[in-house]
Amino acid sequence: AAPGVGKTFAMLQAAQAQLRQGVDLRVGVVETHGRAETEALLSGLPQQPLLRTEYRGVMLEEMDLDGLLAAKPKPKLVLVDELAHSNAPGSRHEKRWQDIQELLAAGINVFTTVNVQHLESLNDQVRGITGVQVRETLPDWVLQEADELLLIDLPSRELLERLRDGKVYVPEQARAAIDAF
């Protein structure tokens, strides 16, 4: 339900295990947020270069969906972090979950991550509890189509410790997040 509980870390650990078993995989997009431990888990994982797009003077990086679909041989598994992400304007799909639907339709398995507050059906409850309106959401059916779900979470105390230790955000962002939590 929160940044920093270890979703991406767990996904990368699972990918490393798949790689050791000989599964042909590719990193489509992984957001490490500068976390050294998370970046270390990318070591040895083949990565699809990201597409760079300029939008309103800002350089954005997005997953190269066409590159993944055209890869020879086609990977059996692609890692796609942050399922509810909104793609850059001009992308083929508005949302990353739509990119994943296209990968799945092409016979490519996907490991992904998502926070529960991004589910459309929970949006009003999350706003009521936290006072925060989550803008990036996905239809519940997307999650219901998954073959397997793995819950990754931490007790609040441990998450606050990770925030204080700088393991989630840089210090300024960490202070704001601690106050928000």
Side-chain angles (χ1 to χ4, degrees), residues 13-71:
Q13 285 180 316
Q16 287 286 356
Q18 292 290 306
L19 189 65
R20 284 191 299 276
Q21 293 174 19
V23 174
D24 183 15
L25 65 85
R26 184 105 19 109
V27 174
V29 61
V30 167
E31 307 288 350
T32 66
H33 302 287
R35 298 178 190 129
E37 295 134 337
T38 305
E39 288 177 7
L41 282 173
L42 279 169
S43 179
L45 296 178
Q47 295 186 43
Q48 179 70 35
L50 297 173
L51 291 177
R52 296 176 54 88
T53 308
E54 187 177 336
Y55 179 71
R56 295 185 180 174
V58 176
M59 193 57 74
L60 303 174
E61 292 185 326
E62 293 292 348
M63 180 175 72
D64 182 2
L65 178 59
D66 288 326
L68 289 164
L69 292 169

Side-chain angles (χ1 to χ4, degrees), residues 79-108:
L79 309 182
V80 184
D81 211 2
E82 299 185 2
L83 179 64
H85 170 81
S86 296
N87 288 329
S91 298
R92 179 160 64 243
H93 301 293
E94 181 183 348
K95 297 292 212 164
R96 193 168 280 166
W97 64 263
Q98 294 168 311
D99 294 339
I100 289 174
Q101 293 295 307
E102 196 167 335
L103 290 170
L104 293 170
I108 300 171

